[in-house]
Amino acid sequence: MTTDMKQHANTNEPHDRVRIFDTTLRDGEQSPGAAMNLEQKLEVAALLDEMGVDIIEAGFPIASNGDFEAVNEISRRTKNAIVCGLARAGFKDIDRAGEALRPARRGRIHTFLSTSPVHMKHKLQMEPSAVLEAISASVARARQHTDDVEWSAEDATRTVPDFLCKAVELAIKAGATTINIPDTVGYATPQEYFELMKMLHERVPGAEKVIFSTHCHNDLGLAVANSLAGVLGGARQIECTINGIGERAGNAAVEEIVMALRVRKDRMPFTTGVKTEMIARASKLVSNVTGFPVQYNKAIVGKNAFAHESGIHQDGMLKNVETYEIMRPEDVGVKETALVLGKLSGRHAFRDKLQTLGYELGDNALQDAFRRFKDLADKKKHIFDGDIVAIVDDSVMRDHETIQVESLKVISGKGLKPSAELTLSVDGEMRACLATGDGPVDAIFNAIHQLYPHEAALQLFQVSAVTEGTDAQAEVSVRLEENGRTVTGRGADTDTMVAAAYAYVTALNKLLEKRLKTAPEALSVAQ
């Protein structure tokens, strides 16, 4: 037969079909602090079922009444996926799992036993012969409850090959339909794991009758790589979790596995049934219910997975997205690529951002706004759209102002008399002074009045944050009134005192414009 025509053992699925076994609700919940209540588990299970995972490992029924109830209720509600319950090799565990799974349209018992020398000696305190007997007995017991039985050789990658082959052979003879080869402690390398899977297929009688599965932990950061190597070695089921959560360093991540198989079909010609457009949604749900944040640079689902800040990268992305992206953000449920503006961004990306915000600036205005953007990027970590708007609006307002703030130094604190050392440019002439006040803002306004005497009265002083965070830009509004004329000036800066000076000076410039419209000679007043 050709590869495409071959089928999985005990299934009608094509040979290139890889089953996704999601263990977020079982192994994922074993992450310290990641426990979920029943409602949360039901919500996650419903999304996994809709998302198209093949098997949902819903819990460990004998562990607690809560786990039993979760597996039982998920079994009752799940429409498409196989629902799986974990059980140790003891008959009580297996019977409890069988009872919990009874309402399932399709149920699976997953039973396991350690096979490595270190586990058999120190954890089980059993002789190898007793372990082999327990494997046969436990699988046979599980088969009394369901035809779908998975058996796992815990710590398989540190097990003596001959013994592992014998254990797998006995599990198959006893009725196991899926054989799982866990890298329980994340010890294997991809080449080792590939060779191990190949060896089992070649040496174990009856291997062609079952599906082999991977279950790799991430202690060395190799869980995904090992899982994919296992598929290349003949495995057709991958056990994984949303966001890669799990004990210690976690498990292979569902989103990374699925997208690697989708993107690299040239090297891994396999398919899954997962609706990848739901990946981002699943990631957010699991993060919310467990309280485990997703690291910003996490593959596929991290905040920065489709974000570009480097000017070189942004320039390439604007020319052709394939220069720096190997998949489309919408393929995993992310709305769009983000060109994140920061200190490494270039003019091309800055101009593109302005256009998306509705601004078309001339060369001089663009240069000034870009300079101010770079200055801001050196001061604050994250540049938001609101920051860009404030920069441009502020630049446009102050582009040709008669009065401009050149420098400002403010001293204030408990037991200190607030003072402001200010330099203004008035029609190109530099004026400087030192003034005091009841507070730092009062001192600034007194300094402005001293350098540019005027009769305008302050009617409003208001401060608001342009964006979130302690490094947010402050936007200050100042309203001045003079001879029945009222004007409002705004200023934005990460330093609230500087923003206050900008706002007051902008308002003064607006008053000058109003004077010029009625009496051009008034500009000479107060010189």
Side-chain angles (χ1 to χ4, degrees):
M1 294 185 189
T2 65
T3 301
D4 290 340
M5 293 299 293
K6 291 179 182 177
Q7 294 184 330
H8 280 315
N10 300 316
T11 76
N12 293 318
E13 295 170 354
H15 187 66
D16 63 356
R17 175 72 152 77
V18 174
R19 288 183 168 194
I20 297 300
F21 178 113
D22 186 282
T23 183
T24 303
L25 297 174
R26 199 278 298 172
D27 203 334
E29 197 193 23
Q30 290 177 206
S31 303
M36 298 172 243
N37 61 35
L38 177 60
E39 299 255 337
Q40 291 169 333
K41 287 185 177 183
L42 292 174
E43 187 177 6
V44 172
L47 183 57
L48 293 173
D49 192 32
E50 182 185 355
M51 186 176 167
V53 304
D54 298 284
I55 303 99
I56 299 172
E57 189 166 48
F60 197 170
I62 205 167
S64 68
N65 289 332
D67 245 34
F68 177 92
E69 184 182 0
V71 174
N72 190 254
E73 192 60 32
I74 291 169
S75 295
R76 197 180 312 279
R77 298 188 184 195
T78 299
K79 298 175 182 178
N80 303 305
I82 296 169
V83 180
C84 179
L86 185 69
R88 291 168 298 192
F91 287 3
K92 283 187 177 181
D93 278 45
I94 293 167
D95 293 344
R96 187 68 167 161
E99 184 183 354
L101 292 165
R102 196 168 295 154
R105 191 171 67 89
R106 294 192 295 167
R108 171 183 296 187
I109 292 177
H110 178 192
T111 185
F112 67 96
L113 194 61
S114 296
T115 54
S116 70
V118 64
H119 273 223
M120 288 191 293
K121 179 179 180 181
H122 299 290
K123 176 185 172 183
L124 300 180
Q125 297 180 339
M126 292 173 64
E127 292 296 321
S129 58
V131 169
L132 294 175
E133 289 177 9
I135 292 169
S136 295
S138 60
V139 172
R141 184 74 171 198
R143 280 300 299 252
Q144 294 178 16
H145 295 278
T146 177
D147 290 339
D148 191 346
V149 175
E150 177 172 338
W151 180 75
S152 288
E154 186 178 6
D155 205 20
T157 54
R158 295 193 296 173
T159 297
V160 176
D162 288 346
F163 186 76
L164 182 61
C165 287
K166 186 62 177 176
V168 170
E169 180 183 353
L170 289 176
I172 294 173
K173 285 182 178 179
T177 52
T178 301
I179 299 295
N180 185 36
I181 307 300
D183 185 25
T184 304
V185 293
Y187 181 71
T189 64
Q191 185 63 32
E192 284 179 312
Y193 199 72
F194 169 82
E195 291 171 356
L196 177 60
M197 199 65 72
K198 289 282 286 183
M199 183 264 302
L200 291 169
H201 276 82
E202 293 167 358
R203 290 183 53 184
V204 175
E208 73 283 355
K209 299 176 183 178
V210 300
I211 293 175
F212 278 82
S213 176
T214 73
H215 183 110
C216 299
H217 280 264
N218 207 38
D219 298 71
L220 293 176
L222 297 172
V224 170
N226 284 337
S227 299
L228 296 174
V231 171
L232 292 172
R236 289 298 179 267
Q237 175 178 288
I238 299 177
E239 304 194 1
C240 39
T241 61
I242 300 293
N243 296 336
I245 65 170
E247 292 195 75
R248 303 184 313 280
N251 292 267
V254 172
E255 58 277 2
E256 295 176 27
I257 292 289
V258 170
M259 292 311 294
L261 291 175
R262 174 169 173 161
V263 172
R264 292 309 309 272
K265 283 189 177 295
D266 57 324
R267 300 307 297 265
M268 298 178 290
F270 307 105
T271 63
T272 73
V274 172
K275 299 170 186 172
T276 62
E277 297 80 6
M278 298 181 67
I279 283 175
R281 181 176 154 200
S283 171
K284 289 176 184 176
L285 175 60
V286 170
S287 178
N288 288 339
V289 300
T290 61
F292 279 27
V294 177
Q295 68 190 64
Y296 278 18
N297 63 331
K298 168 78 170 62
I300 315 300
V301 293
K303 184 178 179 179
N304 291 344
F306 295 96
H308 307 266
E309 182 174 333
S310 163
I312 295 172
H313 287 214
Q314 290 177 340
D315 183 63
M317 285 292 297
L318 290 169
K319 291 172 180 174
N320 188 316
V321 295
E322 292 183 3
T323 54
Y324 288 103
E325 283 189 353
I326 59 173
M327 67 193 96
R328 301 183 307 166
E330 55 265 35
D331 288 343
V332 299
V334 175
K335 184 177 179 182
E336 59 187 358
T337 292
L339 297 185
V340 180
L341 294 184
K343 64 181 181 179
L344 300 178
S345 298
R347 284 181 181 80
H348 192 181
F350 184 69
R351 181 187 288 111
D352 181 75
K353 172 60 76 173
L354 291 181
Q355 289 173 348
T356 64
L357 294 174
Y359 291 97
E360 289 289 345
L361 301 184
D363 290 343
N364 291 338
L366 177 65
Q367 179 64 24
D368 181 61
F370 183 69
R371 177 186 57 77
R372 294 193 62 210
F373 157 71
K374 283 288 193 176
D375 290 342
L376 178 63
D378 281 332
K379 296 176 184 176
K380 74 190 300 269
K381 198 168 186 179
H382 302 294
I383 307 294
F384 299 94
D385 287 357
D387 292 311
I388 304 298
V389 170
I391 285 173
V392 176
D393 287 348
D394 214 25
S395 294
V396 171
M397 284 189 293
R398 301 209 310 268
D399 195 19
H400 301 293
E401 290 181 341
T402 301
I403 311 167
Q404 295 185 0
V405 176
E406 296 295 329
S407 67
L408 174 65
K409 179 181 178 181
V410 179
I411 297 176
S412 181
K414 187 175 181 180
L416 297 174
K417 180 70 173 177
S419 64
E421 188 176 334
L422 177 68
T423 301
L424 294 181
S425 170
V426 182
D427 261 344
E429 176 193 348
M430 294 298 174
R431 302 179 184 182
C433 75
L434 176 65
T436 60
D438 292 335
V441 174
D442 189 46
I444 293 168
F445 290 177
N446 287 342
I448 294 172
H449 194 278
Q450 185 175 323
L451 294 176
Y452 191 86
H454 57 275
E455 299 302 321
L458 178 65
Q459 290 189 327
L460 172 72
F461 174 77
Q462 182 175 294
V463 181
S464 60
V466 173
T467 53
E468 60 188 29
T470 56
D471 62 351
Q473 282 195 99
E475 185 172 72
V476 175
S477 297
V478 167
R479 185 187 302 150
L480 297 180
E481 188 274 331
E482 180 187 61
N483 298 326
R485 301 186 186 96
T486 301
V487 295
T488 300
R490 290 184 177 84
D493 197 271
T494 52
D495 188 319
T496 306
M497 298 301 103
V498 173
Y502 285 158
Y504 198 104
V505 166
T506 297
L508 275 181
N509 280 291
K510 286 185 176 182
L511 279 177
L512 281 176
E513 290 177 13
K514 291 204 171 192
R515 288 182 197 170
L516 287 169
K517 289 178 181 178
T518 54
E521 69 279 2
L523 186 59
S524 60
V525 177
Q527 295 294 318

